[in-house]
Amino acid sequence: MSIVIRDGLVITATGATPTDVLVSGERVAALASPDSGLADRWVTGADQVIDATGRYVIPGGVDVHTHLEMPFGGTFSSDTFETGTIAAAWGGTTTIIDFAVQPKGSSLLSALDRWHEKADGQAAVDYGFHLILSDVNDATLKEMDACVDAGVNSFKMFMAYPGVFYATDGDILRAMSRARDIGAMVMMHAENGIAIDQLVTEALAEGRTEPVHHGVTRPTELEAEATHRAIALAKVTGSPLYIVHLSASEALSAVTAARDTGQNVFAETCPQYLFLSLDDLDRPDFEGAKYVASPPLRPRSHQAELWRGLRTNDLSVVSTDHCPFCFKEQKELGRGDFSKIPNGMPGVEHRMDLLHQGVVRGEISLPRWVEITSTTPARMFGLYPRKGTIGPGSDADIVIYDPRAVQTLSVQTHHMNVDYSAYEGLQVLGRVETVVSRGQVVLDRGSFLGRTGHGRFLAREPCQYLH
Ligand code: URP
Ligand code: ZN
Ligand code: ZN
């Protein structure tokens, strides 16, 4: 199977250039300047020719933070590997990295087995795993080695959620030391969960039960404090650190300061923190529950700093933290008690389009759009140059993007298995037109042409920013 993509503007992290692309089998075979005439030769015998005139040709998105079928708050996130990866493809994301959950008292390797069972034969695009390390003991620390050998070399820990995933500073110190020794990455959910739980108890005792109090009881100071503490623990141990879903400008300041000293600290933010705000959590009639996630949405004033961080690389990745729960029956578990609302929001389908609005508004450049949504995530988690770029030898994960199309985001038209859109009615400029995943056209002009089982597990190399 060979495909020629002609006359598009190929955008990578390093620039935007009119380029023709030859795909052969699952890989990119060659790139050529349109005036070289090479594409005229390629089309002879090609199985398919895609005219990309007026379109961007970008590497498929790499979303390194999803939660499919994740157990949380007495229920499960509502997208499966089938529905979640199909929605990802619709949005131009051709690789996801999902979090396998180690329940307390069980082994890391059994968590990994469980996640392989969920994903095997179900995924429409390629996928890898991180592990949620919720039980630190001699046995699990030892097991981290075997996980790295199995292609899973990043371990998420939680300074939040006491009694569920919470890790003490001592646990974190031990896991970081191990990660340092075996070339693994610790990913941190940085919120001070002990203090937050106290604030939650006080709010509920005072009858403050509405969704907005989820935000009020998780103040930015407690994200900044935990971020700072995680950075200090990483420094003491000499371990690299990746802060997940950073939402607050004070937390970003801690990351910026650490990076300025040369410490291997990295951070991601998510579209919800760039486009939504605490006002959404305060929507009437329990609608705010749709926006409950942790860390919470922040006052809009934080957004300018997050965009600044994306420009200066203090924030180097945008992932979705896709963790959808339906409003009916799932979010509704928390009517009358915000602490029982399952934490998480849908978003895997909209990341590329939303970040493209950053280009439209002049917040980021076209190459930076590709860099933070595809190239850096691939490098950060050991997938580059197989993923994250368009170059000879790379997997042919390619998105043809129409920058002038106008679309309105809505539950009526999205493909995520969730009964609401966090961006209902939002009009965006730009739309995915065609998606190629490992040389197969899986989506074209509004028709899904892929199949479950096409997506393969990706065993990953260590983070490619460490020396
Ligand atoms: O609220 C969130 N973010 N839910 C998913 C779990 C996590 O902490 O990432
Ligand atoms: Zn988290
Ligand atoms: Zn998450």
Side-chain angles (χ1 to χ4, degrees):
M1 180 80 187
S2 67
I3 306 173
V4 180
I5 303 169
R6 298 196 71 165
D7 297 319
L9 185 71
V10 170
I11 304 168
T12 66
T14 53
T17 321
T19 309
D20 297 326
V21 183
L22 175 64
V23 171
S24 177
E26 297 197 344
R27 302 272 171 93
V28 174
L31 305 178
S33 159
D35 50 21
S36 68
L38 275 172
D40 292 334
R41 281 194 249 156
W42 294 345
V43 297
T44 315
D47 296 291
Q48 192 172 352
V49 179
I50 298 176
D51 176 5
T53 306
R55 307 291 191 260
Y56 298 154
V57 179
I58 60 174
V62 178
D63 187 347
V64 297
H65 191 153
T66 69
H67 300 281
L68 302 175
E69 297 177 60
M70 184 200 185
F72 196 99
T75 184
F76 285 82
S77 57
S78 56
D79 262 319
T80 61
F81 272 85
E82 178 177 7
T83 62
T85 56
I86 290 174
W90 275 97
T93 287
T94 51
T95 301
I96 63 159
I97 307 184
D98 200 74
F99 286 85
V101 180
Q102 177 211 20
K104 278 208 192 294
S106 71
S107 80
L108 283 176
L109 288 169
S110 64
L112 215 45
D113 287 346
R114 178 79 195 95
W115 246 254
H116 275 297
E117 280 164 23
K118 287 184 196 230
D120 252 7
Q122 298 300 312
V125 298
D126 289 352
Y127 59 94
F129 297 136
H130 313 285
L131 265 158
I132 286 181
L133 176 57
S134 59
D135 209 348
V136 176
N137 56 51
D138 290 348
T140 54
L141 287 171
K142 221 167 172 184
E143 268 189 309
M144 285 169 72
D145 251 1
C147 296
V148 171
D149 290 345
V152 178
N153 49 32
S154 37
F155 300 85
K156 182 177 177 187
M157 303 190 77
F158 288 78
M159 301 167 104
Y161 306 131
V164 190
F165 297 129
Y166 177 78
T168 66
D169 289 357
D171 292 338
I172 294 168
L173 206 81
R174 290 185 81 194
M176 282 181 167
S177 298
R178 189 93 188 113
R180 172 203 61 210
D181 290 347
I182 62 175
M185 177 73 89
V186 170
M187 307 170 77
M188 192 60 73
H189 181 130
E191 287 186 292
N192 183 329
I194 301 286
I196 287 168
D197 267 16
Q198 180 56 31
L199 295 177
V200 170
T201 303
E202 288 172 16
L204 293 175
E206 289 162 14
R208 294 186 281 123
T209 61
E210 290 302 309
V212 70
H213 294 289
H214 171 78
V216 174
T217 55
R218 306 180 91 93
T220 56
E221 289 79 0
L222 296 184
E223 183 183 351
E225 182 278 324
T227 304
H228 188 269
R229 185 157 35 103
I231 290 168
L233 294 170
K235 187 163 188 186
V236 167
T237 54
S239 154
L241 173 67
Y242 181 91
I243 303 286
V244 292
H245 48 46
L246 187 147
S247 71
S249 61
E250 298 93 322
L252 178 56
S253 298
V255 169
T256 304
R259 289 177 61 77
D260 287 349
T261 68
Q263 201 179 333
N264 277 321
V265 173
F266 310 95
E268 64 174 24
T269 190
C270 311
Q272 53 270 32
Y273 302 120
L274 296 164
F275 291 93
L276 301 171
S277 77
L278 189 61
D279 294 345
D280 293 298
L281 262 178
D282 202 14
R283 290 190 188 208
D285 303 326
F286 199 62
E287 286 273 308
K290 295 176 177 174
Y291 300 89
V292 166
S294 295
L297 300 180
R298 300 301 187 186
R300 208 162 276 283
S301 54
H302 289 257
Q303 293 175 358
E305 262 306 286
L306 298 183
W307 284 112
R308 191 279 300 162
L310 287 171
R311 281 190 295 276
T312 58
N313 207 37
D314 291 313
L315 292 169
S316 39
V317 170
V318 177
S319 69
T320 57
D321 192 12
H322 176 74
C323 190
F325 295 100
C326 288
F327 184 70
K328 289 241 164 305
E329 292 177 15
Q330 293 195 296
K331 291 288 187 181
E332 282 181 339
L333 290 168
R335 269 195 198 277
D337 179 349
F338 68 84
S339 72
K340 295 198 166 58
I341 301 169
N343 285 203
M345 286 177 54
V348 74
E349 191 167 346
H350 299 318
R351 185 181 62 124
M352 302 303 284
D353 286 328
L354 287 168
L355 268 293
H356 182 250
Q357 305 320 294
V359 177
V360 172
R361 292 186 198 170
E363 297 280 6
I364 51 173
S365 66
L366 279 172
R368 187 66 182 154
W369 172 47
V370 167
E371 190 167 32
I372 59 183
T373 56
S374 179
T375 314
T376 300
R379 280 199 167 119
M380 189 69 71
F381 294 103
L383 292 170
Y384 186 88
R386 183 169 172 194
K387 307 293 187 188
T389 195
I390 299 176
S394 296
D395 279 1
D397 287 3
I398 298 173
V399 174
I400 320 292
Y401 195 83
D402 180 355
R404 274 173 284 277
V406 176
Q407 55 168 322
T408 302
L409 307 186
S410 171
V411 65
Q412 305 298 332
T413 48
H414 77 202
H415 302 85
M416 300 175 286
N417 183 38
V418 61
D419 63 0
Y420 72 95
S421 172
Y423 302 96
E424 189 63 44
L426 181 70
Q427 205 176 67
V428 295
L429 190 57
R431 170 180 229 138
V432 169
E433 193 166 273
T434 306
V435 178
V436 180
S437 164
R438 282 196 349 269
Q440 300 283 315
V441 175
V442 296
L443 189 118
D444 192 37
R445 292 165 201 264
S447 298
F448 180 70
L449 307 173
R451 61 175 177 84
T452 54
H454 165 77
R456 286 197 201 133
F457 172 69
L458 299 163
R460 295 181 289 108
E461 303 291 316
C463 170
Q464 292 161 324
Y465 290 106
L466 301 177
H467 29 266

